[in-house]
Amino acid sequence: MEKDMNPSRIALGLMAWMAAAPAVADCVPGFQMEAQAAMGDLTRTQGFLGAVLVAVDGRPVLRTASGLANRDWGVANTPETRFRIGSMTKPFTAISILQLAEQGKLSVEDPISSHYAAAPQAWAAVTIRQLLTHTSGIPDYIFTESFQRNGLAHASTPQELVDHVSALPLDFPPGDGWRYSNTGYVLLGMIVEQASGQAYGDYVEAHIFKPAGMTDSGYERMSAILQQRASGYISASDTWLNAPYLDSSNAYAAGGLYSTVDDLLKWDRALDAGTLLNAASQAAMFSDYRNHYGLGWQVDRKWDRDRLMHGGATPGFQSSFQRYPEVGLTVVALSNSEYGAAEKLATDLAAFCLGADPYPNEIPVPADVLDRYVGAYKFNDMTVRVTRDGDRLVTRFGPQPPALLYATNETAFFQKVAEATLEFRLGEGGEVAGMVVHQNGQDYTFNRLP
C-alpha cells in the first residue's frame, strides 16, 4: 500500500511530543502511553489520518496529527489544518436557531410554514423543534434519485435541495418517529436566513465563530482561497484516490462548515462559559427528545459518564466532537480520509483518559494458527482479505484501509478502528470454513473462497 509518511517517524514524533508535554493529573496515569499505542496502531495501517485533541477543563493533554493534508504536494496534517466537519455542522445550526429564539425572532414550537412560505401542505404540522430533533418525518434529500442524478459537484441552492423531497410523502406523521434528515437542517438554515436577514454562513460567523474566537472556521465557499485546507481522500485497494468532489452548497446548513481541532476546543469553552446561549437554551439543547438525540446533538452515556457529541462524514472526511461535562473532558478527531475512524478513535481516547478499557483482553496466538486464517472471504458482494503482518492478522474490507486484528482466543478477534468482532468458523476436519463478523448488532457470515 502507498505510504504517505514513514510510520516509525510519525510514531517517534508523537512520542517526542508526549515526552515534552507536562504531566496532567486529570487524566489517569498511563493515559499518554495508551494514547500513544492507539495512535501508533492507526498510523501503522493508516487507519486514521488527521488531527486529534484531548482537553480537560480546556487544557490540552493531547494535541497531534498524522498523515498528509495534501498528497500532491506531500504536505503533512497539523493541529492547525482545516478539515470539513460534515454533519458536525448541525450543532452550529441548532445554536443559531436557539439564539434567534432567545431574541424573540422565532419559537422552536412554530410551524415551519410561518418562516418558510413554500412549505408543502403535508408539512403544515411540522415544527422547528421537530426539524431539530429529526422527528419531522421529512425525507432526506441525500438518498433521492434526483439528487444523485444531479451529482455532488453540481452547485445547488437550499431551495433546490428541498425540492428533491417536497413532493414526496412524509416518512411518518410529524412527531411520531425518528429518522435522521439532512433536509430538516437545510430547512433550518433557510429559517436562520429568513429570521436573521443574513446568509447562513455570515450568521454563524458573526454570532458563533466570532464570539467564541474561532478564527480558523467558516462556511466553505469553493471559490475562496483557504490556507491550510485539507484535501479529502478515499482508500482504494493499495493506493489513495482523491475523494469525489462535493460542492459545499449541497451540504449547506446540514454539513457545510470547516474547522480545526483548536477552534473546536474554543467552541467547547464558549459553550461551557455560556457565551453563546443562556442556561435554559443549553438545557433544552442537551435534552434527550428521542433516540438519544437533543436539539442538534447526540446525548447518551459512555464510559459511565454523560456524553454530548456529534460526528460527521462527507466524501473524503470524517469528524467527531465529544464532551463529557461531568469531568470537563473534551475530545476532537478530524480526518481527511473517508474511512478515518474518527468517532472510534475519539471514543477510545476518552476511555483512556477516564481509566476505562475500550478493548477486550488480548492474548498472543502462534504464527502457524494465524497462517490458517490467511485468505479471502466473501459475503454477498463484499470480499474481505486476511493477511498476516508479524504477530497479527490484518483485514481489508473491500477498498477500506487495512485494519489490525487482536485476538481474544485462537478463533476470535476484535478491531480497534471499529466496533467489530470477527470469529473464524472451523469445519468438521478443522479446516477454516469462513468467518462471522459482528457489528452494530448484526452478524454477517463470510464464506472462505478457494
Side-chain angles (χ1 to χ4, degrees):
M1 112 180 252
E2 176 190 332
K3 300 294 183 184
D4 59 357
M5 301 181 82
N6 185 309
S8 298
R9 189 170 72 231
I10 297 174
L12 288 171
L14 181 60
M15 292 170 65
W17 185 91
M18 289 177 172
V24 178
D26 302 87
C27 284
V28 300
F31 164 70
Q32 301 287 354
M33 184 177 298
E34 295 279 13
Q36 172 186 321
M39 291 294 293
D41 280 351
L42 291 171
T43 296
R44 178 177 169 185
T45 61
Q46 300 194 67
F48 177 81
L49 312 172
V52 297
L53 184 147
V54 179
V56 178
D57 292 331
R59 293 175 291 108
V61 296
L62 175 66
R63 179 180 176 272
T64 190
S66 68
L68 295 179
N70 185 288
R71 292 176 180 274
D72 292 331
W73 289 91
V75 176
N77 280 318
T78 73
E80 292 80 25
T81 301
R82 293 165 168 173
F83 298 87
R84 288 184 171 185
I85 63 173
S87 284
M88 200 193 293
T89 298
K90 289 180 173 67
F92 291 92
T93 302
I95 290 170
S96 301
I97 289 289
L98 292 171
Q99 287 178 339
L100 292 166
E102 288 182 1
Q103 297 165 26
K105 295 181 178 179
L106 56 81
S107 166
V108 295
E109 308 305 337
D110 288 344
I112 63 173
S113 57
S114 63
H115 301 277
Y116 172 55
Q121 181 58 38
W123 300 0
V126 174
T127 66
I128 292 176
R129 182 188 297 277
Q130 289 165 347
L131 296 182
L132 289 165
T133 57
H134 298 294
T135 58
S136 70
I138 296 175
D140 196 333
Y141 70 91
I142 292 290
F143 302 108
T144 62
E145 290 184 13
S146 57
F147 177 75
Q148 297 296 327
R149 190 166 56 246
N150 274 4
L152 301 177
H154 172 77
S156 301
T157 66
Q159 184 59 59
E160 287 172 338
L161 297 178
V162 175
D163 285 344
H164 290 296
V165 302
S166 59
L168 298 179
L170 294 176
D171 290 334
F172 48 80
D176 282 4
W178 191 95
R179 184 168 295 173
Y180 194 85
S181 175
N182 287 290
T183 311
Y185 275 76
V186 169
L187 289 164
L188 289 168
M190 297 169 73
I191 292 170
V192 168
E193 294 190 349
Q194 190 276 334
S196 69
Q198 293 180 277
Y200 172 78
D202 293 340
Y203 180 91
V204 174
E205 170 70 29
H207 298 275
I208 300 179
F209 294 152
K210 189 170 289 185
M214 299 170 67
T215 55
D216 292 319
S217 303
Y219 179 75
E220 190 167 21
R221 294 174 174 86
M222 303 312 299
S223 59
I225 302 300
L226 185 60
Q227 293 184 347
Q228 301 185 84
R229 170 165 39 191
S231 297
Y233 298 97
I234 60 173
S235 175
S237 299
D238 291 326
T239 190
W240 288 91
L241 300 174
N242 290 310
Y245 177 79
L246 169 69
D247 191 280
S248 56
S249 65
N250 288 304
Y252 184 51
L257 299 182
Y258 65 85
S259 193
T260 68
V261 293
D262 292 335
D263 262 14
L264 290 169
L265 179 59
K266 293 176 182 178
W267 180 44
D268 172 78
R269 293 295 83 201
L271 288 168
D272 197 64
T275 302
L276 304 176
L277 291 172
N278 65 34
S281 294
Q282 286 214 147
M285 185 168 67
F286 295 139
S287 296
D288 183 354
Y289 294 93
R290 181 173 291 192
N291 208 51
H292 302 297
Y293 205 87
L295 306 180
W297 289 81
Q298 181 180 334
V299 292
D300 62 8
R301 284 183 66 80
K302 192 68 176 178
W303 314 130
D304 201 31
R305 305 292 198 285
D306 288 338
R307 177 173 67 169
L308 309 170
M309 64 170 289
H310 214 291
T314 195
F317 294 88
Q318 280 194 11
S319 63
S320 183
F321 177 86
Q322 303 189 14
R323 308 181 76 215
Y324 297 78
E326 295 170 71
V327 290
L329 173 62
T330 306
V331 187
V332 187
L334 304 179
S335 176
N336 59 324
S337 165
E338 188 152 332
Y339 304 114
E343 184 169 318
K344 182 65 165 62
L345 177 59
T347 303
D348 291 351
L349 290 174
F352 297 142
C353 182
L354 296 171
D357 189 351
Y359 311 134
N361 291 328
E362 182 190 4
I363 67 164
V365 176
D368 61 324
V369 175
L370 296 178
D371 285 338
R372 297 170 60 193
Y373 304 134
V374 171
Y377 302 78
K378 190 169 185 179
F379 169 78
N380 292 339
D381 294 330
M382 170 66 73
T383 298
V384 178
R385 301 193 180 279
V386 179
T387 58
R388 182 165 70 87
D389 181 0
D391 59 353
R392 299 199 191 285
L393 292 177
V394 179
T395 59
R396 184 190 287 276
F397 284 75
Q400 297 182 28
L404 296 173
L405 293 185
Y406 303 82
T408 54
N409 61 50
E410 289 197 353
T411 61
F413 298 79
F414 67 93
Q415 295 182 345
K416 293 184 179 180
V417 295
E419 297 286 354
T421 59
L422 300 86
E423 185 163 4
F424 291 95
R425 296 186 298 110
L426 305 181
E428 293 183 1
E431 74 282 2
V432 179
M435 69 176 180
V436 177
V437 177
H438 182 79
Q439 188 171 21
N440 299 325
Q442 300 288 325
D443 286 333
Y444 306 92
T445 300
F446 289 73
N447 295 317
R448 187 168 192 173
L449 297 177

